[in-house]
Amino acid sequence: DFDNLKKTNKLRGLIRDSLEESLSKYEKRLHDVRVDVRIKQEELIGGEKSNSIKKRIDIRVKGKIKKTSEEFSFVEYFYIGPL
């Protein structure tokens, strides 16, 4: 279980760092960008006997639009492979 926690923390850091780097490099309209990544296990219920457990990645990006100083917020999630 400790290894799973360690891998989850590493994955969270990898995703967060990658997004922060990409946003600062390519998204010039934003400043004060903050990225929050959360990872949790979720059971997906399918038909008969087809339930599966997957990792859900929740991503929240917050910042300010440079031209207007207006708050910007973006939320997305996706699932990654079976455990």
Side-chain angles (χ1 to χ4, degrees), residues 42 44 52-57 78-83:
E42 194 167 291
L44 302 176
S52 62
I53 296 177
K54 294 193 175 195
K55 284 189 178 183
R56 177 176 160 158
I57 312 293
F78 59 92
Y79 294 95
I80 58 173
L83 297 176

Side-chain angles (χ1 to χ4, degrees), residues 11-83:
L11 178 61
R12 179 184 302 114
L14 179 69
I15 292 170
R16 184 189 62 243
D17 294 347
S18 177
L19 283 170
E20 286 176 347
E21 181 182 337
S22 294
L23 287 167
S24 68
K25 185 174 182 180
Y26 297 111
E27 189 47 80
K28 301 299 182 190
R29 297 171 292 179
L30 297 176
H31 67 96
D32 295 333
V33 176
R34 296 171 310 279
V35 178
D36 180 43
V37 177
R38 295 176 189 235
I39 300 175
K40 60 184 176 182
Q41 290 185 36
E42 194 167 291
E43 183 175 3
L44 302 176
I45 300 172
E48 280 185 38
K49 299 181 181 180
S50 65
N51 295 356
S52 62
I53 296 177
K54 294 193 175 195
K55 284 189 178 183
R56 177 176 160 158
I57 312 293
D58 292 326
I59 298 171
R60 171 168 285 151
V61 177
K62 289 186 174 186
K64 289 190 178 184
I65 299 171
K66 284 184 180 178
K67 281 190 175 182
T68 63
S69 293
E70 192 177 341
E71 294 290 327
F72 171 83
S73 181
F74 175 81
V75 178
E76 187 64 73
Y77 72 90
F78 59 92
Y79 294 95
I80 58 173
L83 297 176

